[in-house]
mmCIF file of all heavy atoms in Angstrom:
data_model
loop_
_atom_site.group_PDB
_atom_site.id
_atom_site.type_symbol
_atom_site.label_atom_id
_atom_site.label_comp_id
_atom_site.label_asym_id
_atom_site.label_seq_id
_atom_site.Cartn_x
_atom_site.Cartn_y
_atom_site.Cartn_z
ATOM 1 N N LEU A 229 20.588 102.328 122.864
ATOM 2 C CA LEU A 229 20.913 103.456 123.728
ATOM 3 C C LEU A 229 19.654 104.211 124.098
ATOM 4 O O LEU A 229 18.742 104.385 123.269
ATOM 5 C CB LEU A 229 21.896 104.404 123.039
ATOM 6 C CG LEU A 229 23.270 103.836 122.670
ATOM 7 C CD1 LEU A 229 24.123 104.916 122.029
ATOM 8 C CD2 LEU A 229 23.956 103.245 123.884
ATOM 9 N N THR A 230 19.615 104.674 125.343
ATOM 10 C CA THR A 230 18.490 105.466 125.857
ATOM 11 C C THR A 230 18.996 106.857 126.225
ATOM 12 O O THR A 230 20.072 106.986 126.816
ATOM 13 C CB THR A 230 17.877 104.801 127.091
ATOM 14 O OG1 THR A 230 17.446 103.485 126.737
ATOM 15 C CG2 THR A 230 16.691 105.605 127.612
ATOM 16 N N PRO A 231 18.276 107.930 125.891
ATOM 17 C CA PRO A 231 18.773 109.283 126.178
ATOM 18 C C PRO A 231 18.691 109.616 127.663
ATOM 19 O O PRO A 231 18.029 108.935 128.452
ATOM 20 C CB PRO A 231 17.834 110.170 125.358
ATOM 21 C CG PRO A 231 16.564 109.391 125.297
ATOM 22 C CD PRO A 231 16.973 107.949 125.204
ATOM 23 N N GLY A 232 19.388 110.703 128.024
ATOM 24 C CA GLY A 232 19.256 111.251 129.373
ATOM 25 C C GLY A 232 20.390 110.928 130.294
ATOM 26 O O GLY A 232 20.453 111.421 131.420
ATOM 27 N N LEU A 233 21.359 110.101 129.887
ATOM 28 C CA LEU A 233 22.477 109.759 130.755
ATOM 29 C C LEU A 233 23.547 110.833 130.667
ATOM 30 O O LEU A 233 23.681 111.526 129.661
ATOM 31 C CB LEU A 233 23.056 108.403 130.366
ATOM 32 C CG LEU A 233 22.085 107.219 130.502
ATOM 33 C CD1 LEU A 233 22.757 105.939 130.050
ATOM 34 C CD2 LEU A 233 21.604 107.087 131.943
ATOM 35 N N VAL A 234 24.340 110.965 131.733
ATOM 36 C CA VAL A 234 25.346 112.013 131.818
ATOM 37 C C VAL A 234 26.659 111.498 131.249
ATOM 38 O O VAL A 234 27.058 110.372 131.508
ATOM 39 C CB VAL A 234 25.545 112.472 133.280
ATOM 40 C CG1 VAL A 234 26.602 113.564 133.365
ATOM 41 C CG2 VAL A 234 24.226 112.936 133.863
ATOM 42 N N ARG A 235 27.348 112.339 130.502
ATOM 43 C CA ARG A 235 28.632 111.954 129.921
ATOM 44 C C ARG A 235 29.622 111.582 131.031
ATOM 45 O O ARG A 235 29.848 112.340 131.968
ATOM 46 C CB ARG A 235 29.207 113.109 129.098
ATOM 47 C CG ARG A 235 30.504 112.756 128.380
ATOM 48 C CD ARG A 235 31.269 114.001 127.993
ATOM 49 N NE ARG A 235 30.509 114.852 127.087
ATOM 50 C CZ ARG A 235 30.728 114.952 125.779
ATOM 51 N NH1 ARG A 235 31.677 114.230 125.232
ATOM 52 N NH2 ARG A 235 30.030 115.779 125.030
ATOM 53 N N GLY A 236 30.223 110.399 130.926
ATOM 54 C CA GLY A 236 31.258 109.991 131.862
ATOM 55 C C GLY A 236 30.734 109.425 133.166
ATOM 56 O O GLY A 236 31.487 108.976 134.016
ATOM 57 N N GLY A 237 29.429 109.444 133.422
ATOM 58 C CA GLY A 237 28.898 108.936 134.684
ATOM 59 C C GLY A 237 27.591 108.234 134.471
ATOM 60 O O GLY A 237 26.623 108.826 134.021
ATOM 61 N N GLY A 238 27.492 106.950 134.817
ATOM 62 C CA GLY A 238 26.263 106.197 134.644
ATOM 63 C C GLY A 238 25.935 105.925 133.198
ATOM 64 O O GLY A 238 24.793 105.615 132.872
ATOM 65 N N ALA A 239 26.913 106.074 132.289
ATOM 66 C CA ALA A 239 26.655 105.868 130.877
ATOM 67 C C ALA A 239 26.588 104.379 130.566
ATOM 68 O O ALA A 239 27.127 103.539 131.284
ATOM 69 C CB ALA A 239 27.743 106.540 130.043
ATOM 70 N N ARG A 240 25.930 104.057 129.471
ATOM 71 C CA ARG A 240 25.833 102.670 129.017
ATOM 72 C C ARG A 240 27.226 102.192 128.596
ATOM 73 O O ARG A 240 27.947 102.881 127.869
ATOM 74 C CB ARG A 240 24.851 102.581 127.842
ATOM 75 C CG ARG A 240 24.841 101.247 127.118
ATOM 76 C CD ARG A 240 24.176 100.170 127.950
ATOM 77 N NE ARG A 240 24.315 98.866 127.336
ATOM 78 C CZ ARG A 240 23.505 98.391 126.370
ATOM 79 N NH1 ARG A 240 22.532 99.157 125.911
ATOM 80 N NH2 ARG A 240 23.669 97.193 125.889
ATOM 81 N N THR A 241 27.617 101.011 129.039
ATOM 82 C CA THR A 241 28.909 100.428 128.685
ATOM 83 C C THR A 241 28.726 99.463 127.526
ATOM 84 O O THR A 241 27.907 98.543 127.602
ATOM 85 C CB THR A 241 29.542 99.704 129.881
ATOM 86 O OG1 THR A 241 29.759 100.633 130.943
ATOM 87 C CG2 THR A 241 30.874 99.077 129.479
ATOM 88 N N LEU A 242 29.473 99.686 126.473
ATOM 89 C CA LEU A 242 29.430 98.819 125.305
ATOM 90 C C LEU A 242 30.692 97.968 125.310
ATOM 91 O O LEU A 242 31.807 98.458 125.072
ATOM 92 C CB LEU A 242 29.355 99.641 124.014
ATOM 93 C CG LEU A 242 28.266 100.721 123.938
ATOM 94 C CD1 LEU A 242 28.254 101.354 122.552
ATOM 95 C CD2 LEU A 242 26.905 100.158 124.287
ATOM 96 N N ALA A 243 30.557 96.688 125.626
ATOM 97 C CA ALA A 243 31.688 95.764 125.643
ATOM 98 C C ALA A 243 31.874 95.213 124.239
ATOM 99 O O ALA A 243 31.048 94.433 123.744
ATOM 100 C CB ALA A 243 31.443 94.643 126.639
ATOM 101 N N VAL A 244 32.936 95.611 123.593
ATOM 102 C CA VAL A 244 33.183 95.231 122.201
ATOM 103 C C VAL A 244 34.315 94.217 122.166
ATOM 104 O O VAL A 244 35.462 94.538 122.498
ATOM 105 C CB VAL A 244 33.549 96.463 121.360
ATOM 106 C CG1 VAL A 244 33.792 96.072 119.914
ATOM 107 C CG2 VAL A 244 32.440 97.514 121.449
ATOM 108 N N PRO A 245 34.037 92.971 121.796
ATOM 109 C CA PRO A 245 35.091 91.948 121.746
ATOM 110 C C PRO A 245 36.119 92.254 120.664
ATOM 111 O O PRO A 245 35.824 92.948 119.677
ATOM 112 C CB PRO A 245 34.327 90.656 121.428
ATOM 113 C CG PRO A 245 32.894 90.970 121.713
ATOM 114 C CD PRO A 245 32.717 92.417 121.452
ATOM 115 N N ALA A 246 37.310 91.725 120.866
ATOM 116 C CA ALA A 246 38.338 91.836 119.833
ATOM 117 C C ALA A 246 37.879 91.109 118.577
ATOM 118 O O ALA A 246 37.238 90.055 118.656
ATOM 119 C CB ALA A 246 39.657 91.256 120.344
#
Side-chain angles (χ1 to χ4, degrees):
L229 298 181
T230 302
L233 298 178
V234 180
R235 184 200 299 256
R240 170 73 187 276
T241 299
L242 309 185
V244 181

